[in-house]
Amino acid sequence: METSQLPSSLPTTNFAITEILNYIGDGLYAPQSGKWISNFHPASGAVYGKIAESGADDVQAAFECATNAFPAWSTSTAKSRSDLMLRLADLMDRDLEILAAIESYDNGKPLTVARNVDIPRAISNIRFFATAILHSSTEAHDMDGLALNYTLRQPIGVVACISPWNLPLYLFTWKIAPALAAGNTVIAKPSEITPASAFYFSKLCIEAGFPAGVLNVLHGTGPSVGSPLVSHAGIKAISFTGGTQTGAAIAAVAAPKFKKLSLELGGKNATLVFSDCNFEETVSETARAAFSNQGQICLCGSRILIQRSIYDQFKQAFVAKVKALKVGDPQAVDSNIGAIVSEPHLLKVLSYIELAKSEGGKLLSGGNRIYPEGFENGYYLEPTIFEGLDPFCRTNQEEIFGPVVTLIPFDTEEEALQFANCTPYGLASSVWTSNIGTAQRVASKLQTGIVWINCWMLRDLRTPFGGVKQSGVGREGGWEALRFFTEAKNVCIKS
Ligand code: NDP
């Protein structure tokens, strides 16, 4: 599609980026194939731009640039890498409003969410790892005077960072920041569904003075560019966030080539509400945990387990809270819920609503696609609540990744744990109680990588982040990420 064919009805603003180019070496380039894919505006359903459909040729070009850049970057001082990344963070601060508008326009999320959550967090990711490397240390082991061992942590080489569409710049920077800070050179692939903020970010890297080839950003689909990137013999490590099935496909390619792999995958997170919780706060925060970002956060609590003695009271308050949420134009300041990211994803979520009905679920609220005035072709969905579904049915076992939650009563702590732990996933959970004993007992038995007590998505970037079971392998965050992006080498000196 040519940009000249853009529909005239679309708002033409400086954040509706109409051509997404690859960042390879020192500049921005069209794909070698000359092929493009359409970029959709979820709020209106219109095509508003074109995205490079990169392929193996572009991967090879980026790989050569990254390889050439590696010797100088990997031996540069931590201070010089830190200074450059902090300069980039300052430019992101300067352009925060532009980045937020781009993210909201491309993804469909409310502008207020992009402005208050996504972009500030993306900037924090860069600043956090830019300064963490100034304070990192390694171990030494004295063998009772016989020898001294010390550990070197050295950059790996050219690494791949692949990120999804739900928190585009937030998760993109969560990977590339530790990779670059540790001295690697990077080929990154954002989701082709939401490439715009990563493209603008590439321009900021050039403005900040990034040396050619240190960061390369390739656009295109999983099959066209993700696959050749993952299978490239020279890529030493892959950090991937996305769906469990994609993660399994990547692992199958990477494992026989002995590539280092970090996989952050899907979730089916439980929210455990005990009868002694702070009621008002719990209703409000569990609604936020369920429907933030249209329910499209891997950490969203989509199964709400409620102690039976407060089930009816909680249900009534929760449904009332959710019915008051306003769905509409992501740019409007009073929209709580924006558009679903794409039409295929909207149809997938709708199919799960039909599945829930067919499994005997009772619809308490929502369940329909909606067509806000002026945005009739956009991808909007009512926040949806079901009850009466078996914890082991497909609706309660499979990741929906949209604004759909189920309410499930439980009687005892043991039953709550059984229901919480009964899915193949194990990413996150939250526990709502005023009893510290219940909180710590339940936290220790939940089969998830992250447990929040009386809060949700409160993030300290120093903490380990990741899941167990089919939610992933490895941890991101803090030293975990810096360890992933370095190789440990033991040096033993005989005394
Ligand atoms: P996908 O798995 O579809 O895609 C993730 C990324 O991988 C995209 O950039 C995609 O490209 C790319 N990709 C697809 N196929 C391949 C391939 N064969 N080789 C290499 N790369 C490939 O996930 P979504 O984008 O749909 O994201 C939603 C999923 O991400 C949900 O399951 C969610 O739970 C999970 N997620 C997990 C998080 C965590 O921290 N555990 C955090 C956020 C999301 P493209 O889209 O361009 O085709």
Side-chain angles (χ1 to χ4, degrees), residues 7-24:
S8 56
S9 59
L10 268 177
T12 48
T13 65
N14 63 351
F15 50 81
I17 296 173
T18 52
E19 189 175 68
I20 305 286
L21 300 168
N22 292 326
Y23 174 29
I24 300 178

Side-chain angles (χ1 to χ4, degrees), residues 23-279:
Y23 174 29
I24 300 178
D26 59 356
L28 303 169
Y29 299 98
Q32 294 185 37
S33 64
K35 291 187 192 160
W36 301 88
I37 40 186
S38 297
N39 198 6
F40 289 84
H41 179 226
S44 66
V47 171
Y48 79 98
K50 61 179 187 175
I51 309 161
E53 188 175 10
S54 313
D57 293 351
D58 304 291
V59 171
Q60 186 55 31
F63 178 75
E64 285 165 19
C65 291
T67 303
N68 292 339
F70 182 72
W73 184 250
S74 59
T75 54
S76 62
T77 61
K79 169 85 169 58
S80 67
R81 294 198 300 279
S82 176
D83 286 349
L84 184 56
M85 291 175 69
L86 291 174
R87 199 176 314 145
L88 172 65
D90 289 345
L91 295 178
M92 294 170 78
D93 261 338
R94 181 196 70 189
D95 290 357
L96 189 149
E97 285 299 325
I98 298 172
L99 282 164
I102 288 170
E103 201 72 300
S104 167
Y105 201 85
D106 203 33
N107 172 280
K109 68 178 66 208
L111 179 59
T112 49
V113 173
R115 180 188 284 144
N116 297 322
V117 180
D118 290 68
I119 306 307
R121 170 58 194 275
I123 298 169
S124 298
N125 289 341
I126 302 287
R127 287 220 170 91
F128 176 84
F129 287 106
T131 48
I133 46 161
L134 301 177
H135 308 284
S136 61
S137 59
T138 60
E139 313 87 54
H141 305 276
D142 179 8
M143 294 174 73
D144 296 327
L146 182 65
L148 177 68
N149 295 275
Y150 61 89
T151 311
L152 290 176
R153 291 219 155 253
Q154 298 178 314
I156 302 170
V158 182
V159 301
C161 296
I162 303 177
S163 49
W165 49 256
N166 62 329
L167 303 167
L169 197 65
Y170 176 131
L171 291 174
F172 180 84
T173 49
W174 184 231
K175 295 183 177 304
I176 65 158
L180 293 170
N184 303 283
T185 54
V186 174
I187 305 178
K189 193 203 99 59
S191 170
E192 107 270 3
I193 298 166
T194 53
S197 55
F199 173 66
Y200 192 84
F201 178 87
S202 306
K203 291 187 178 187
L204 294 183
C205 291
I206 295 170
E207 185 181 343
F210 268 52
V214 163
L215 174 66
N216 305 271
V217 183
L218 298 179
H219 298 279
T221 64
S224 76
V225 69
S227 233
L229 177 58
V230 165
S231 57
H232 194 289
I235 298 290
K236 303 271 182 18
I238 301 162
S239 175
F240 170 81
T241 296
T244 294
Q245 272 188 333
T246 316
I250 289 175
V253 174
K257 298 184 182 205
F258 306 108
K259 293 169 190 268
K260 247 183 137 176
L261 204 51
S262 167
L263 301 172
E264 298 292 344
L265 309 175
K268 187 73 181 176
N269 310 304
T271 301
L272 291 78
V273 179
F274 286 88
S275 58
D276 59 3
C277 67
N278 175 333
F279 190 81

Side-chain angles (χ1 to χ4, degrees), residues 39 134 160 164 180 186 224 248-249 350 352 355 378-379 399 444 455:
N39 198 6
L134 301 177
L180 293 170
V186 174
S224 76
L350 281 168
Y352 270 102
L355 174 72
Y379 316 133
E399 184 184 46
S444 75
C455 58

